[in-house]
Amino acid sequence: MNYLDPVELVAEKEKYAKEGVHKGMQGVIWDERKIDGFWLVNFPSYGENADIADIAIKEEDLILLPNGMDAKINEKIKQLFENSESQ
């Protein structure tokens, strides 16, 4: 993995969820350095919305997206979790 590679989160973990990031969300590696097995990943929202998070993600919890990323997916996943928390 390298700087600006599009990635997808493949693990649901509490430490990511606390930041609003959930399995299936897509982001981009946001730093040139991997530190202690973690990459800094930016998870954007779609359109004019603020980014969901910039957080360190363990490399084993990510897969590369060879065809780029789609922030619309992040909005759908975010909405699913928000809806389930409000019930």
Side-chain angles (χ1 to χ4, degrees):
M1 293 185 186
N2 297 296
Y3 178 59
L4 297 181
D5 277 349
V7 293
E8 180 178 317
L9 183 63
V10 294
E12 182 70 29
K13 293 188 175 177
E14 186 177 339
K15 63 183 172 183
Y16 305 149
K18 285 181 180 179
E19 301 294 329
V21 177
H22 302 281
K23 182 179 178 180
M25 286 188 166
Q26 299 180 3
V28 63
I29 294 179
W30 213 232
D31 194 324
E32 296 173 355
R33 304 161 293 157
K34 177 173 71 170
I35 300 173
D36 296 329
F38 288 82
W39 290 100
L40 179 63
V41 180
N42 172 266
F43 291 92
S45 292
Y46 183 72
E48 299 295 319
N49 296 328
D51 289 343
I52 295 167
D54 290 323
I55 63 170
I57 303 285
K58 193 157 187 68
E59 185 171 40
E60 67 192 32
D61 294 338
L62 297 168
I63 58 168
L64 284 172
L65 294 172
N67 298 319
M69 61 160 286
D70 182 358
K72 292 177 192 174
I73 290 169
N74 294 350
E75 290 293 324
K76 290 177 185 174
I77 294 170
K78 181 179 174 184
Q79 191 66 43
L80 286 173
F81 277 90
E82 287 174 353
N83 288 344
S84 68
E85 290 173 355
S86 65
Q87 294 179 3

